[in-house]
Amino acid sequence: MTLDDILASLFPDGHDVKNSGGVLSGSGALRSGGRALVIGVADRTALGVDEAIRLSNYVLASVESGNAPILVLADSDSQRMSKRDELLGLNEFLAHLAKSLIYADMHGRPAIGLLYGHSAAGALLATALATRVLVGLPSADPAVMDLPSMARVTKLSIEVLQEKAKSTPVFAPGLRNLAQTGAVHLTWDEATPLAEQLDTLLANMPDARDRRDALGLERGGRPKAYAIAERVRELALQAL
Amino acid sequence: MSASHTQRTTSSVELDRTASWYESSARTRVRLLLDPGSVVEFIGPEKREVSPHLKLFDLPEQFDDGIVVGLGRLDGSPVFVAAQEGNFMGGAFGEVHGAKLTGLLRAARDIGSVPVLILFDTGGVRLQEANAGELAIAEIMRAVIEARTAGVKVIGLIGGRAGCYGGGGLIAGCCSALAVSEQGRISVSGPEVIETNRGVEEFDSRDRALVWRTMGGKHRRLLGGAEVFVDDTVQDFREAALELLSSIRAFGIDTLKAEQSRLEDRLQRFGACPDAVDIWTAEGIPDAVSIPALPADQFIALADKVRRSSRDAR
């Protein structure tokens, strides 16, 4: 599905989402009433300081106006890898965007991610993974890190990495592999109107508690995270 | 070396807060930073909770998965502490490593009054378990915000061998405040990653001076990316942690709006600067090229004069 198809299917009653240099902003009419804030990154655009500051601005402006959900659409590159972005403190801009989304989610504007294309590394952390519920479309193609960078850091050849990627979901790119860890809550069906699936999700919206580690345990992608986090939490509470 | 000699050396180190932060292990940092004998570790190495994934790559495991988490005291008051070991897999976040920090932050959130010190030393996601590591970082970021919303102060201390890269840089950006030494590089993309993806013309990872002035502690302090710059000793980090704990205010929508303005202002003022030296010059520092060579005490005095702190805007 193209971005236009997705928006039309999500908001049959209309939307005013604009794409400006790969940065999405606007709103869409919900069938259940009210308008969702829509932000995101499109056209496989890299998320740099200039894009991130615009997105956080939209989110913060929405926090004190209403209680409709925030939809975060993602078809991005990774974070913009450049001297300028790092010089200006890219880590602060990406963290600020994630903080704004998480804060909004905790304060009455539930955040839903919709991964419909690529996304990677810091861009994924600052957008799709900073939501309460992350939905994948079958076309989604996330990758935590690209194989050339991975090869350089791990000192393994790209061929060896490609071979291992076939049998090792915990490091391999792709929606299914990421979903197994608990990062992607559900995958929508492209043959059914997205508005219907959004309605169903909104009617059954979980509370804001982060349960992704329990999901990863259930799906077998992260065998230890849930138990370790829970044990540390209990030990820490007892130690005081 | 006799056993008694080894013991004597260890016990003298225990009292020595002049030790280099950069040269110290995670365990030594924790022991020296907090009040003597006050640290209780949770799921320590004796529990042997190793990574379930590294054996797929025939890589050695570590019994604590490269992170120490526990409770101790700082000047008599309880603090939670987490310290990454930069010498194991570059301090990278794997499934177990990340889950320990998540659990600690959730406990701090539930209690609401005990601060958390995070001693960063990390290259970011552990690529051999990339999906689990990436999600661990996302969970930690959320747990930091939940803890801060509940009134917890979360302080990052950055001055280790591996710096604070990748998702580590994003977690650092979520903290209430940061103290950084010259060695404490903070960045998302590492020098090698930028060079691999964009070419040596964009960033020459072997140009160490370029790396330090673009990502190092001095630039982060002058830019407002870190609240406090410290010399490379455990004592200096301890004093910085105490100072920050006493000065942090509540986190809320006003904090985020202030940060939005702070970052917009930075883009407007420095967005066209090609190099850190140009930013420092634009900040009004007369002899900006001399900054990298300035000793810590002189740099701190200069930084306090020219650069207002980003406190309450993070």
Side-chain angles (χ1 to χ4, degrees), chain B residues 278-295:
Chain B
D278 303 297
I279 292 181
W280 305 337
T281 304
E283 266 289 30
I285 296 170
D287 186 19
V289 287
S290 70
I291 291 278
L294 272 190

Side-chain angles (χ1 to χ4, degrees), chain B residues 25-199:
Chain B
S25 69
R27 276 170 203 287
T28 303
R29 285 175 194 151
V30 168
R31 200 177 61 233
L32 296 182
L33 177 72
L34 301 181
D35 299 350
S38 71
V39 181
V40 181
E41 184 173 354
F42 309 134
I43 314 188
E46 76 285 355
K47 303 288 187 199
R48 302 198 174 191
E49 289 290 0
V50 299
S51 161
H53 308 297
L54 289 178
K55 58 179 177 290
L56 301 166
F57 286 83
D58 301 319
L59 286 167
E61 295 150 346
Q62 197 154 292
F63 289 152
D64 59 11
D65 207 35
I67 191 168
V68 181
V69 298
L71 174 72
R73 287 184 177 273
L74 185 65
D75 230 11
S77 298
V79 289
F80 288 123
V81 65
Q84 298 181 289
E85 177 50 66
N87 279 331
F88 175 65
M89 307 285 308
F93 288 88
E95 177 174 346
V96 172
H97 181 115
K100 284 187 178 179
L101 180 49
T102 303
L104 191 78
L105 287 159
R106 289 177 181 166
R109 171 202 64 194
D110 292 349
I111 295 161
S113 57
V114 176
V116 184
L117 306 180
I118 305 176
L119 285 50
F120 290 97
D121 199 346
T122 186
V125 171
R126 187 184 295 167
L127 294 176
Q128 292 81 1
E129 39 190 298
N131 295 328
E134 175 96 345
L135 184 49
I137 289 168
E139 287 167 337
I140 292 163
M141 289 166 66
R142 182 146 192 133
V144 169
I145 301 310
E146 287 179 1
R148 290 186 64 191
T149 302
V152 177
K153 298 167 181 177
V154 184
I155 310 280
L157 307 177
I158 301 173
R161 285 170 182 279
C164 185
Y165 281 103
L170 270 74
I171 299 170
C174 290
C175 290
S176 318
L178 302 176
V180 65
S181 68
E182 177 153 30
Q183 291 86 343
R185 292 136 293 148
I186 307 172
S187 168
V188 187
S189 312
E192 286 85 6
V193 170
I194 301 177
E195 188 185 310
T196 300
N197 284 278
R198 296 285 300 276

Side-chain angles (χ1 to χ4, degrees), chain B residues 184-236:
Chain B
R185 292 136 293 148
I186 307 172
S187 168
V188 187
S189 312
E192 286 85 6
V193 170
I194 301 177
E195 188 185 310
T196 300
N197 284 278
R198 296 285 300 276
V200 70
E201 307 77 23
E202 175 71 22
F203 205 92
D204 181 353
S205 65
R206 286 161 306 171
D207 183 346
R208 301 323 286 172
L210 171 68
V211 173
W212 291 113
R213 75 175 182 272
T214 307
M215 302 167 174
K218 282 179 174 167
H219 178 55
R220 291 300 173 224
R221 169 66 186 89
L222 289 175
L223 196 65
E227 281 69 16
V228 177
F229 180 90
V230 298
D231 204 353
D232 175 42
T233 71
V234 177
Q235 182 63 31
D236 284 84

